[in-house]
Amino acid sequence: MDETETSTRKSGHSILNCMANSSGVSAPRELILIGGGHTHVLLLRELGKNPLRTVRLTLVSDVKDAPYSGMLPGHISGIYSRAEMQIDLPRLCNFAGARFIHAKVLGLDLARKQVLLPDNVAPVAADLVSINVGGTPSMEDVAGAEPWAIPAKPVPELLRGWQRAVATAPGGMGPFHIVIVGGGAGGVELALAMHSQVGHKAAFTIIHGAPQLLPGHNSGVHRVMSRLLEKRGIATIMNARVVEVVADSVRLDDGRCLPADFTFWVTRIAPPAWLAESGLDTTPDGFVRTGPTLQAINYSWIFAAGDVVAIEGQKLPKSGVFAVRMAKPLENNLRAYLSGNSLRNYKPQRRSLSLIGTADGRAVASYGCLAGRSVLFWHWKTWIDRRFMRQFQNLPVPFSSIP
Ligand SMILES: Cc1cc2nc3c(=O)[nH]c(=O)nc-3n(C[C@H](O)[C@H](O)[C@H](O)COP(=O)(O)OP(=O)(O)OC[C@H]3O[C@@H](n4cnc5c(N)ncnc54)[C@H](O)[C@@H]3O)c2cc1C
């Protein structure tokens, strides 16, 4: 994205204490947040309430409105408006006293300590960097996937594809096929949400590479969801991989060809390639390797959080719940780093509750070995999601603006 916008609140309460540079002129330390993911939006909100007094804060994001994934299927099934599921990043930055740069980060120059932006935008100098850029479903190895399939992320791309599908679906019960590749929680929830809107005029199929949908969830969840999909007439194909996508079909690894007017790609995510290309220590699949303090293994001034991170010795699910829970430890460790105190380890919860909407005013709850589906769980989910979003809609007046 080549558009660049910057905004800093005039009161600039994040630029208070400064370090003297070589010419004796005071300069603030530069903390650059890359990506407005779930961790950074919470971090910015906290920094708005309790500013860092030793830095100039900048967020670089390729979108101005950060989508909240918990509400995405609800938006597709017509429950939430787009505005309700998005966080206005320039506004949040204004509250946090941060500069907002609307641009896609292309890489890091680790030797010069710079964040690299597209050609017409000067690199941004950094003393401290935090990366929260998530990932996108991996499509690289599949012929025709990039031109023809619609990835679940970035979310704006998914929503554009979905709008096209809705507009194209024929009025009658024509031969119109929607294929969802990936039967994890995101893929199943998305399929149910889409089906609730166009299921009367489209045939749906979920293709999943493993023997069981919703890996990582218990057998009760598997049973409830399998029955529900069957009842709704959503076909499932297990143990199959898509090896080619074309305009109107997908080909599976066993040679079968399925009609597909629209193919949505909701598989395991891959992080952006620039992380490894910049010289950060990454896993073989490109996730940033960090220690339990969320600092990159090979650069202590670089922090990472959310889906993009691979914390040594931990195997965390790629989920918004964990990205959200990393916000407080990240904030504490950034403060500790800046003040020269010792950093503390992030300790993830052993179990987390998942509430998966079923697009009928109910949700499936999954916690450890417990499973259930009810209206109550849906109300609980909407209450949690709306409460999360309220934090960004009703931003309190920052203390520095109070006369
Ligand atoms: C359909 C679907 C439903 C889901 N539902 C749930 C759910 O109910 N609960 C749950 O816990 N998880 C859910 N997930 C998973 C959840 O979306 C992710 O785990 C979560 O979004 C990860 O958060 P994050 O903070 O790591 O990054 P993200 O939320 O992915 O945010 C990353 C941000 O960085 C920006 N960015 C990326 N690259 C750059 C760049 N180079 N320069 C600048 N900015 C950049 C992106 O535009 C984005 O705004 C769902 C996923 C899908 C696909």
Side-chain angles (χ1 to χ4, degrees), residues 34-39 60-63 69-70 72-73 103-105 132-135 152-153 186 189-190 266 274 305-307 318-321 323 381:
I34 303 177
H38 290 55
T39 320
V60 189
S61 167
D62 61 354
V63 292
S69 55
L72 175 60
K104 183 170 188 151
V105 169
N132 179 214
V133 292
K153 292 211 171 175
E189 197 176 8
L190 206 56
V266 202
W274 61 260
D307 278 2
K318 301 297 178 199
S319 120
V321 171
K381 177 171 169 56

mmCIF file of all heavy atoms in Angstrom, residues 34-39 60-63 69-70 72-73 103-105 132-135 152-153 186 189-190 266 274 305-307 318-321 323 381, ligand 1:
data_model
loop_
_atom_site.group_PDB
_atom_site.id
_atom_site.type_symbol
_atom_site.label_atom_id
_atom_site.label_comp_id
_atom_site.label_asym_id
_atom_site.label_seq_id
_atom_site.Cartn_x
_atom_site.Cartn_y
_atom_site.Cartn_z
ATOM 1 N N ILE A 34 4.295 -2.784 14.576
ATOM 2 C CA ILE A 34 3.999 -3.169 13.185
ATOM 3 C C ILE A 34 2.756 -4.058 13.194
ATOM 4 O O ILE A 34 2.754 -5.138 13.779
ATOM 5 C CB ILE A 34 5.182 -3.913 12.546
ATOM 6 C CG1 ILE A 34 6.454 -3.058 12.608
ATOM 7 C CG2 ILE A 34 4.856 -4.298 11.107
ATOM 8 C CD1 ILE A 34 7.691 -3.748 12.051
ATOM 9 N N GLY A 35 1.696 -3.588 12.535
ATOM 10 C CA GLY A 35 0.443 -4.342 12.453
ATOM 11 C C GLY A 35 -0.509 -4.010 13.591
ATOM 12 O O GLY A 35 -0.108 -3.962 14.749
ATOM 13 N N GLY A 36 -1.756 -3.784 13.221
ATOM 14 C CA GLY A 36 -2.782 -3.476 14.232
ATOM 15 C C GLY A 36 -3.570 -4.716 14.589
ATOM 16 O O GLY A 36 -4.795 -4.738 14.500
ATOM 17 N N GLY A 37 -2.856 -5.780 14.975
ATOM 18 C CA GLY A 37 -3.526 -7.029 15.357
ATOM 19 C C GLY A 37 -4.169 -6.918 16.730
ATOM 20 O O GLY A 37 -4.169 -5.848 17.365
ATOM 21 N N HIS A 38 -4.718 -8.041 17.181
ATOM 22 C CA HIS A 38 -5.468 -8.066 18.447
ATOM 23 C C HIS A 38 -4.599 -7.627 19.634
ATOM 24 O O HIS A 38 -5.086 -6.986 20.555
ATOM 25 C CB HIS A 38 -5.995 -9.478 18.704
ATOM 26 C CG HIS A 38 -7.092 -9.895 17.766
ATOM 27 N ND1 HIS A 38 -6.945 -9.865 16.401
ATOM 28 C CD2 HIS A 38 -8.345 -10.339 17.991
ATOM 29 C CE1 HIS A 38 -8.071 -10.281 15.835
ATOM 30 N NE2 HIS A 38 -8.933 -10.581 16.784
ATOM 31 N N THR A 39 -3.319 -7.980 19.614
ATOM 32 C CA THR A 39 -2.441 -7.629 20.736
ATOM 33 C C THR A 39 -2.171 -6.122 20.744
ATOM 34 O O THR A 39 -2.255 -5.477 21.788
ATOM 35 C CB THR A 39 -1.093 -8.389 20.619
ATOM 36 O OG1 THR A 39 -1.344 -9.725 20.179
ATOM 37 C CG2 THR A 39 -0.361 -8.408 21.935
ATOM 38 N N VAL A 60 2.393 1.216 12.490
ATOM 39 C CA VAL A 60 2.361 1.107 11.033
ATOM 40 C C VAL A 60 1.396 -0.026 10.704
ATOM 41 O O VAL A 60 1.597 -1.161 11.140
ATOM 42 C CB VAL A 60 3.751 0.773 10.436
ATOM 43 C CG1 VAL A 60 3.709 0.878 8.918
ATOM 44 C CG2 VAL A 60 4.833 1.679 11.007
ATOM 45 N N SER A 61 0.368 0.305 9.957
ATOM 46 C CA SER A 61 -0.637 -0.715 9.635
ATOM 47 C C SER A 61 -1.042 -0.593 8.180
ATOM 48 O O SER A 61 -1.175 0.513 7.661
ATOM 49 C CB SER A 61 -1.860 -0.537 10.528
ATOM 50 O OG SER A 61 -2.937 -1.304 10.030
ATOM 51 N N ASP A 62 -1.278 -1.740 7.542
ATOM 52 C CA ASP A 62 -1.712 -1.698 6.139
ATOM 53 C C ASP A 62 -3.222 -1.500 6.019
ATOM 54 O O ASP A 62 -3.749 -1.426 4.924
ATOM 55 C CB ASP A 62 -1.253 -2.953 5.383
ATOM 56 C CG ASP A 62 -1.823 -4.239 5.957
ATOM 57 O OD1 ASP A 62 -2.480 -4.195 7.013
ATOM 58 O OD2 ASP A 62 -1.589 -5.307 5.355
ATOM 59 N N VAL A 63 -3.907 -1.469 7.145
ATOM 60 C CA VAL A 63 -5.346 -1.141 7.109
ATOM 61 C C VAL A 63 -5.633 -0.047 8.140
ATOM 62 O O VAL A 63 -4.924 0.057 9.142
ATOM 63 C CB VAL A 63 -6.235 -2.377 7.416
ATOM 64 C CG1 VAL A 63 -6.158 -3.410 6.314
ATOM 65 C CG2 VAL A 63 -5.889 -3.000 8.768
ATOM 66 N N SER A 69 -11.730 -10.673 14.731
ATOM 67 C CA SER A 69 -12.105 -11.966 14.146
ATOM 68 C C SER A 69 -13.282 -12.629 14.850
ATOM 69 O O SER A 69 -14.047 -13.347 14.225
ATOM 70 C CB SER A 69 -10.911 -12.906 14.133
ATOM 71 O OG SER A 69 -10.392 -13.030 15.439
ATOM 72 N N GLY A 70 -13.446 -12.372 16.152
ATOM 73 C CA GLY A 70 -14.544 -12.995 16.885
ATOM 74 C C GLY A 70 -15.906 -12.659 16.280
ATOM 75 O O GLY A 70 -16.858 -13.418 16.390
ATOM 76 N N LEU A 72 -16.313 -11.748 12.952
ATOM 77 C CA LEU A 72 -16.311 -11.861 11.491
ATOM 78 C C LEU A 72 -17.427 -12.776 10.977
ATOM 79 O O LEU A 72 -18.216 -12.366 10.111
ATOM 80 C CB LEU A 72 -14.917 -12.314 11.030
ATOM 81 C CG LEU A 72 -14.731 -12.614 9.566
ATOM 82 C CD1 LEU A 72 -15.027 -11.387 8.714
ATOM 83 C CD2 LEU A 72 -13.319 -13.115 9.285
ATOM 84 N N PRO A 73 -17.542 -14.013 11.505
ATOM 85 C CA PRO A 73 -18.646 -14.855 11.008
ATOM 86 C C PRO A 73 -20.008 -14.219 11.300
ATOM 87 O O PRO A 73 -20.927 -14.307 10.475
ATOM 88 C CB PRO A 73 -18.461 -16.176 11.769
ATOM 89 C CG PRO A 73 -17.005 -16.192 12.155
ATOM 90 C CD PRO A 73 -16.670 -14.760 12.436
ATOM 91 N N ALA A 103 0.600 2.106 5.946
ATOM 92 C CA ALA A 103 1.495 1.542 4.929
ATOM 93 C C ALA A 103 1.764 0.089 5.266
ATOM 94 O O ALA A 103 1.652 -0.328 6.419
ATOM 95 C CB ALA A 103 2.817 2.316 4.898
ATOM 96 N N LYS A 104 2.134 -0.647 4.242
ATOM 97 C CA LYS A 104 2.464 -2.066 4.454
ATOM 98 C C LYS A 104 3.963 -2.196 4.683
ATOM 99 O O LYS A 104 4.756 -1.786 3.824
ATOM 100 C CB LYS A 104 2.049 -2.850 3.203
ATOM 101 C CG LYS A 104 2.282 -4.325 3.337
ATOM 102 C CD LYS A 104 1.641 -5.067 2.193
ATOM 103 C CE LYS A 104 1.732 -6.549 2.462
ATOM 104 N NZ LYS A 104 0.643 -7.288 1.866
ATOM 105 N N VAL A 105 4.346 -2.739 5.801
ATOM 106 C CA VAL A 105 5.780 -2.924 6.082
ATOM 107 C C VAL A 105 6.330 -3.985 5.133
ATOM 108 O O VAL A 105 5.725 -5.040 4.939
ATOM 109 C CB VAL A 105 5.971 -3.344 7.561
ATOM 110 C CG1 VAL A 105 7.395 -3.797 7.818
ATOM 111 C CG2 VAL A 105 5.589 -2.184 8.482
ATOM 112 N N ASN A 132 3.061 -7.544 15.237
ATOM 113 C CA ASN A 132 1.778 -8.225 15.484
ATOM 114 C C ASN A 132 1.003 -8.224 14.162
ATOM 115 O O ASN A 132 -0.022 -7.584 14.032
ATOM 116 C CB ASN A 132 1.026 -7.481 16.612
ATOM 117 C CG ASN A 132 -0.331 -8.053 16.958
ATOM 118 O OD1 ASN A 132 -1.251 -7.317 17.304
ATOM 119 N ND2 ASN A 132 -0.492 -9.347 16.888
ATOM 120 N N VAL A 133 1.570 -8.951 13.180
ATOM 121 C CA VAL A 133 1.009 -8.890 11.827
ATOM 122 C C VAL A 133 0.189 -10.120 11.445
ATOM 123 O O VAL A 133 -0.294 -10.219 10.315
ATOM 124 C CB VAL A 133 2.115 -8.662 10.757
ATOM 125 C CG1 VAL A 133 2.716 -7.277 10.882
ATOM 126 C CG2 VAL A 133 3.194 -9.730 10.845
ATOM 127 N N GLY A 134 0.016 -11.067 12.362
ATOM 128 C CA GLY A 134 -0.793 -12.246 12.047
ATOM 129 C C GLY A 134 -0.229 -13.010 10.870
ATOM 130 O O GLY A 134 0.989 -13.052 10.650
ATOM 131 N N GLY A 135 -1.103 -13.617 10.094
ATOM 132 C CA GLY A 135 -0.668 -14.376 8.920
ATOM 133 C C GLY A 135 -1.831 -14.520 7.964
ATOM 134 O O GLY A 135 -2.940 -14.063 8.239
ATOM 135 N N ALA A 152 -9.174 -16.365 3.698
ATOM 136 C CA ALA A 152 -9.931 -15.836 4.848
ATOM 137 C C ALA A 152 -9.257 -14.591 5.416
ATOM 138 O O ALA A 152 -9.879 -13.807 6.130
ATOM 139 C CB ALA A 152 -10.041 -16.902 5.920
ATOM 140 N N LYS A 153 -7.968 -14.438 5.128
ATOM 141 C CA LYS A 153 -7.237 -13.246 5.556
ATOM 142 C C LYS A 153 -6.338 -12.797 4.422
ATOM 143 O O LYS A 153 -5.802 -13.657 3.716
ATOM 144 C CB LYS A 153 -6.385 -13.558 6.788
ATOM 145 C CG LYS A 153 -7.235 -13.833 7.990
ATOM 146 C CD LYS A 153 -6.517 -13.394 9.221
ATOM 147 C CE LYS A 153 -7.446 -13.462 10.403
ATOM 148 N NZ LYS A 153 -6.782 -13.173 11.630
ATOM 149 N N GLY A 186 -12.346 -21.940 12.332
ATOM 150 C CA GLY A 186 -12.621 -20.782 11.471
ATOM 151 C C GLY A 186 -13.375 -21.194 10.211
ATOM 152 O O GLY A 186 -14.349 -20.550 9.822
ATOM 153 N N GLU A 189 -17.022 -22.388 11.086
ATOM 154 C CA GLU A 189 -17.872 -21.258 11.500
ATOM 155 C C GLU A 189 -18.211 -20.367 10.295
ATOM 156 O O GLU A 189 -19.339 -19.915 10.136
ATOM 157 C CB GLU A 189 -17.155 -20.443 12.588
ATOM 158 C CG GLU A 189 -18.097 -19.543 13.355
ATOM 159 C CD GLU A 189 -17.421 -18.794 14.503
ATOM 160 O OE1 GLU A 189 -16.182 -18.846 14.615
ATOM 161 O OE2 GLU A 189 -18.148 -18.142 15.274
ATOM 162 N N LEU A 190 -17.203 -20.189 9.438
ATOM 163 C CA LEU A 190 -17.415 -19.390 8.233
ATOM 164 C C LEU A 190 -18.427 -20.071 7.304
ATOM 165 O O LEU A 190 -19.324 -19.421 6.758
ATOM 166 C CB LEU A 190 -16.065 -19.232 7.520
ATOM 167 C CG LEU A 190 -15.867 -18.029 6.636
ATOM 168 C CD1 LEU A 190 -16.105 -16.737 7.396
ATOM 169 C CD2 LEU A 190 -14.445 -18.037 6.067
ATOM 170 N N VAL A 266 -9.380 -21.357 3.979
ATOM 171 C CA VAL A 266 -9.325 -21.104 5.435
ATOM 172 C C VAL A 266 -8.379 -22.129 6.082
ATOM 173 O O VAL A 266 -8.689 -22.723 7.112
ATOM 174 C CB VAL A 266 -10.740 -21.180 6.074
ATOM 175 C CG1 VAL A 266 -10.771 -20.414 7.402
ATOM 176 C CG2 VAL A 266 -11.814 -20.627 5.155
ATOM 177 N N TRP A 274 8.630 -11.623 4.753
ATOM 178 C CA TRP A 274 9.659 -10.613 5.055
ATOM 179 C C TRP A 274 10.271 -10.793 6.443
ATOM 180 O O TRP A 274 11.360 -10.304 6.711
ATOM 181 C CB TRP A 274 9.127 -9.191 4.856
ATOM 182 C CG TRP A 274 7.963 -8.757 5.691
ATOM 183 C CD1 TRP A 274 6.669 -8.717 5.300
ATOM 184 C CD2 TRP A 274 7.975 -8.267 7.044
ATOM 185 N NE1 TRP A 274 5.873 -8.245 6.315
ATOM 186 C CE2 TRP A 274 6.647 -7.961 7.400
ATOM 187 C CE3 TRP A 274 8.981 -8.059 7.987
ATOM 188 C CZ2 TRP A 274 6.287 -7.463 8.657
ATOM 189 C CZ3 TRP A 274 8.627 -7.559 9.240
ATOM 190 C CH2 TRP A 274 7.296 -7.272 9.564
ATOM 191 N N ALA A 305 4.159 -10.794 18.873
ATOM 192 C CA ALA A 305 3.018 -11.354 19.603
ATOM 193 C C ALA A 305 1.907 -11.742 18.637
ATOM 194 O O ALA A 305 1.866 -11.292 17.497
ATOM 195 C CB ALA A 305 2.491 -10.319 20.603
ATOM 196 N N GLY A 306 1.020 -12.598 19.126
ATOM 197 C CA GLY A 306 -0.126 -13.029 18.307
ATOM 198 C C GLY A 306 0.230 -14.235 17.460
ATOM 199 O O GLY A 306 1.157 -14.990 17.757
ATOM 200 N N ASP A 307 -0.502 -14.391 16.366
ATOM 201 C CA ASP A 307 -0.324 -15.572 15.509
ATOM 202 C C ASP A 307 1.081 -15.706 14.940
ATOM 203 O O ASP A 307 1.521 -16.798 14.581
ATOM 204 C CB ASP A 307 -1.302 -15.487 14.318
ATOM 205 C CG ASP A 307 -2.692 -15.977 14.684
ATOM 206 O OD1 ASP A 307 -2.920 -16.348 15.847
ATOM 207 O OD2 ASP A 307 -3.563 -15.983 13.782
ATOM 208 N N LYS A 318 -3.146 -20.974 17.028
ATOM 209 C CA LYS A 318 -3.204 -19.659 16.378
ATOM 210 C C LYS A 318 -4.624 -19.147 16.577
ATOM 211 O O LYS A 318 -5.546 -19.545 15.854
ATOM 212 C CB LYS A 318 -2.865 -19.775 14.883
ATOM 213 C CG LYS A 318 -1.493 -20.357 14.602
ATOM 214 C CD LYS A 318 -0.384 -19.485 15.140
ATOM 215 C CE LYS A 318 0.992 -20.049 14.920
ATOM 216 N NZ LYS A 318 1.988 -19.450 15.800
ATOM 217 N N SER A 319 -4.806 -18.335 17.577
ATOM 218 C CA SER A 319 -6.166 -17.918 17.911
ATOM 219 C C SER A 319 -6.151 -16.517 18.502
ATOM 220 O O SER A 319 -5.200 -16.113 19.185
ATOM 221 C CB SER A 319 -6.775 -18.937 18.881
ATOM 222 O OG SER A 319 -7.135 -18.337 20.088
ATOM 223 N N GLY A 320 -7.236 -15.800 18.222
ATOM 224 C CA GLY A 320 -7.362 -14.442 18.730
ATOM 225 C C GLY A 320 -7.318 -14.400 20.249
ATOM 226 O O GLY A 320 -6.825 -13.432 20.836
ATOM 227 N N VAL A 321 -7.807 -15.458 20.879
ATOM 228 C CA VAL A 321 -7.819 -15.507 22.343
ATOM 229 C C VAL A 321 -6.391 -15.347 22.878
ATOM 230 O O VAL A 321 -6.134 -14.571 23.801
ATOM 231 C CB VAL A 321 -8.432 -16.849 22.827
ATOM 232 C CG1 VAL A 321 -8.265 -17.021 24.325
ATOM 233 C CG2 VAL A 321 -9.895 -16.938 22.430
ATOM 234 N N ALA A 323 -3.774 -14.137 21.190
ATOM 235 C CA ALA A 323 -3.232 -12.824 20.792
ATOM 236 C C ALA A 323 -3.682 -11.758 21.788
ATOM 237 O O ALA A 323 -2.891 -10.900 22.202
ATOM 238 C CB ALA A 323 -3.698 -12.478 19.374
ATOM 239 N N LYS A 381 -21.216 -15.442 24.003
ATOM 240 C CA LYS A 381 -20.228 -15.030 22.983
ATOM 241 C C LYS A 381 -20.455 -13.575 22.558
ATOM 242 O O LYS A 381 -19.511 -12.790 22.499
ATOM 243 C CB LYS A 381 -20.311 -15.972 21.767
ATOM 244 C CG LYS A 381 -19.376 -15.585 20.620
ATOM 245 C CD LYS A 381 -19.318 -16.650 19.553
ATOM 246 C CE LYS A 381 -18.595 -16.152 18.300
ATOM 247 N NZ LYS A 381 -17.242 -15.667 18.554
HETATM 248 C C1 LIG B 1 -13.068 -16.919 9.837
HETATM 249 C C2 LIG B 1 -12.231 -16.839 11.057
HETATM 250 C C3 LIG B 1 -12.854 -16.766 12.294
HETATM 251 C C4 LIG B 1 -12.078 -16.713 13.454
HETATM 252 N N1 LIG B 1 -12.724 -16.649 14.643
HETATM 253 C C5 LIG B 1 -11.993 -16.617 15.781
HETATM 254 C C6 LIG B 1 -12.652 -16.557 17.032
HETATM 255 O O1 LIG B 1 -13.886 -16.530 17.132
HETATM 256 N N2 LIG B 1 -11.877 -16.535 18.149
HETATM 257 C C7 LIG B 1 -10.501 -16.572 18.078
HETATM 258 O O2 LIG B 1 -9.850 -16.575 19.127
HETATM 259 N N3 LIG B 1 -9.856 -16.636 16.907
HETATM 260 C C8 LIG B 1 -10.569 -16.654 15.748
HETATM 261 N N4 LIG B 1 -9.908 -16.710 14.550
HETATM 262 C C9 LIG B 1 -8.444 -16.664 14.519
HETATM 263 C C10 LIG B 1 -7.995 -15.205 14.644
HETATM 264 O O3 LIG B 1 -8.461 -14.495 13.537
HETATM 265 C C11 LIG B 1 -6.491 -15.040 14.702
HETATM 266 O O4 LIG B 1 -5.917 -15.968 15.559
HETATM 267 C C12 LIG B 1 -6.162 -13.620 15.189
HETATM 268 O O5 LIG B 1 -6.690 -12.669 14.303
HETATM 269 C C13 LIG B 1 -4.678 -13.408 15.311
HETATM 270 O O6 LIG B 1 -4.481 -12.116 15.797
HETATM 271 P P1 LIG B 1 -3.136 -11.315 15.586
HETATM 272 O O7 LIG B 1 -3.199 -10.226 16.589
HETATM 273 O O8 LIG B 1 -1.972 -12.222 15.616
HETATM 274 O O9 LIG B 1 -3.183 -10.744 14.103
HETATM 275 P P2 LIG B 1 -4.350 -10.277 13.144
HETATM 276 O O10 LIG B 1 -5.633 -10.154 13.856
HETATM 277 O O11 LIG B 1 -4.296 -11.200 11.966
HETATM 278 O O12 LIG B 1 -3.907 -8.820 12.737
HETATM 279 C C14 LIG B 1 -2.741 -8.545 12.022
HETATM 280 C C15 LIG B 1 -2.830 -7.152 11.475
HETATM 281 O O13 LIG B 1 -1.587 -6.791 10.893
HETATM 282 C C16 LIG B 1 -1.804 -6.181 9.622
HETATM 283 N N5 LIG B 1 -0.644 -6.443 8.785
HETATM 284 C C17 LIG B 1 -0.292 -7.620 8.226
HETATM 285 N N6 LIG B 1 0.848 -7.485 7.533
HETATM 286 C C18 LIG B 1 1.233 -6.190 7.665
HETATM 287 C C19 LIG B 1 2.348 -5.437 7.170
HETATM 288 N N7 LIG B 1 3.303 -6.005 6.411
HETATM 289 N N8 LIG B 1 2.420 -4.123 7.466
HETATM 290 C C20 LIG B 1 1.479 -3.529 8.245
HETATM 291 N N9 LIG B 1 0.397 -4.201 8.737
HETATM 292 C C21 LIG B 1 0.291 -5.516 8.461
HETATM 293 C C22 LIG B 1 -3.077 -6.854 9.098
HETATM 294 O O14 LIG B 1 -3.748 -6.083 8.133
HETATM 295 C C23 LIG B 1 -3.883 -6.995 10.382
HETATM 296 O O15 LIG B 1 -4.643 -5.819 10.620
HETATM 297 C C24 LIG B 1 -10.663 -16.750 13.360
HETATM 298 C C25 LIG B 1 -10.033 -16.809 12.118
HETATM 299 C C26 LIG B 1 -10.810 -16.856 10.977
HETATM 300 C C27 LIG B 1 -10.132 -16.953 9.637
#
